[in-house]
Structure formats: C-alpha cells, structure tokens
C-alpha cells in the first residue's frame, strides 16, 4: 500500500491530513496562548509554512481558532474569523476537551456557529488536551470581505 503525502505507510493520518491542510495553503491563527497544542501547530507549519495572524491582509484558506471558556463572545470571534476567509475556506474551532481547564460546552458551539453563518461538519482529536470542530460556511452564506 502506498502512502499519500503526509500519511505514514501504515495508513495513519497525520494531524495536517486530519485538518485538510495542504502545502501552499494560507492558514490564519486566532486565540494563540501558551496552552495551545504545539505538536499540532508544528504539524501544520511543517505542511503549509508559517501561520498568519489575525491582522493579515491575505485571503486565507483556513482559520484555526483556539477558544476557551472565558475567552469572550464565541459568536463575535467566529464572525471575525470569516473576514479574511476564502468562500470555500474552513474554520477549525479548537476547544479544550471535557475535564480540561477552559472546556467549552458543545451547546455553546451549536448555538454560536449557525448564528455566525457556519455549520459544523465534523470533529477531530486535535491533541492531548484539544478537540477540533470543522466549521464551513452554510450554503447561501458568503464570507464577508
């Protein structure tokens, strides 16, 4: 069995594969702090290069949003993430797993994402302490430029 880029020969998908990040993609990061999963960040930067910050003027293919309970209004943060996002881009909402400091109740994501014009399509294990929710623009919703 041959492996595709970023996959091990045994079929195990890398973190970058799970996030759908490809070489040449522009990925923006929001909510960075000392508690983020460095292995995930390293896997993504190895795949696509440096992550851009939220002050970027570039159109981005994906946004990583590190969000913890108490980080402010999730709806507003998601709306901010849409600003530079390409129409076919993805927002990855990264939240601490249950039982970890800063855990976010799934009901908060379920309420905030649709209000921001996003729908959740899947979740991934984003590291020891983090879960990732894949959010995409709902049909008929255009990213605000």
């Amino acid at each position: 069995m041959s492996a595709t880029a970023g996959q091990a020969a045994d079929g195990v998908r890398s973190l970058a594969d799970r996030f759908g990040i490809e070489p040449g993609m522009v990925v923006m990061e929001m909510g960075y702090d000392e508690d983020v999963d460095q292995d995930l960040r390293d896997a993504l930067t190895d795949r696509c290069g440096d992550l851009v910050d939220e002050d970027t003027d570039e159109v981005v293919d994906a946004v990583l949003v590190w969000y913890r309970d108490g980080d402010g209004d999730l709806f507003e943060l998601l709306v901010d993430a849409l600003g530079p996002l390409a129409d076919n881009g993805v927002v990855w909402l990264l939240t601490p797993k249950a039982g970890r400091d800063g855990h976010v109740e799934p009901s908060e994501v379920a309420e905030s994402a649709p209000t921001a014009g996003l729908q959740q399509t899947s979740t991934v294990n984003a590291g020891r302490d983090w879960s990732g929710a894949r959010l995409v623009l709902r049909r008929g919703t255009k990213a605000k430029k």
Side-chain angles (χ1 to χ4, degrees), residues 59-71:
V59 174
V60 301
D61 302 298
V63 179
L64 299 180
V65 179
W66 301 95
Y67 181 77
R68 307 139 194 93
D69 185 45
D71 276 357

Side-chain angles (χ1 to χ4, degrees), residues 18 37 67 94-104 124-132:
R18 283 188 258 161
D37 189 284
Y67 181 77
L94 302 162
T95 58
K97 290 181 179 177
R100 308 306 201 280
D101 285 342
H103 172 69
V104 176
V124 297
N125 177 2
R128 197 181 104 204
D129 296 322
W130 294 86
S131 292

Side-chain angles (χ1 to χ4, degrees), residues 7-137:
Q7 281 186 311
D10 64 2
V12 175
R13 295 176 64 195
S14 75
L15 281 171
D17 288 329
R18 283 188 258 161
F19 279 76
I21 303 301
E22 298 295 334
M25 283 185 159
V26 177
V27 180
M28 182 174 87
E29 180 179 46
M30 301 173 72
Y32 175 86
D33 205 342
E34 62 188 34
D35 64 343
V36 303
D37 189 284
Q38 197 59 49
D39 290 337
L40 172 59
R41 289 184 86 246
D42 289 346
L44 297 179
T45 57
D46 285 350
R47 177 69 59 91
C48 69
D50 290 336
L51 306 177
V52 298
D53 66 27
E54 53 199 279
D55 296 327
T56 188
D57 291 331
E58 294 184 67
V59 174
V60 301
D61 302 298
V63 179
L64 299 180
V65 179
W66 301 95
Y67 181 77
R68 307 139 194 93
D69 185 45
D71 276 357
D73 187 88
L74 178 56
F75 164 76
E76 289 180 16
L77 190 61
L78 292 174
V79 169
D80 289 345
L82 294 178
L85 188 65
D87 287 342
N88 62 346
V90 174
V91 174
W92 281 100
L93 178 62
L94 302 162
T95 58
K97 290 181 179 177
R100 308 306 201 280
D101 285 342
H103 172 69
V104 176
E105 290 298 325
S107 60
E108 184 175 355
V109 176
E111 180 180 312
S112 298
T115 306
L118 295 162
Q119 68 182 16
Q120 183 173 333
T121 61
S122 62
T123 59
V124 297
N125 177 2
R128 197 181 104 204
D129 296 322
W130 294 86
S131 292
R134 184 180 187 268
L135 308 174
V136 297
L137 288 171

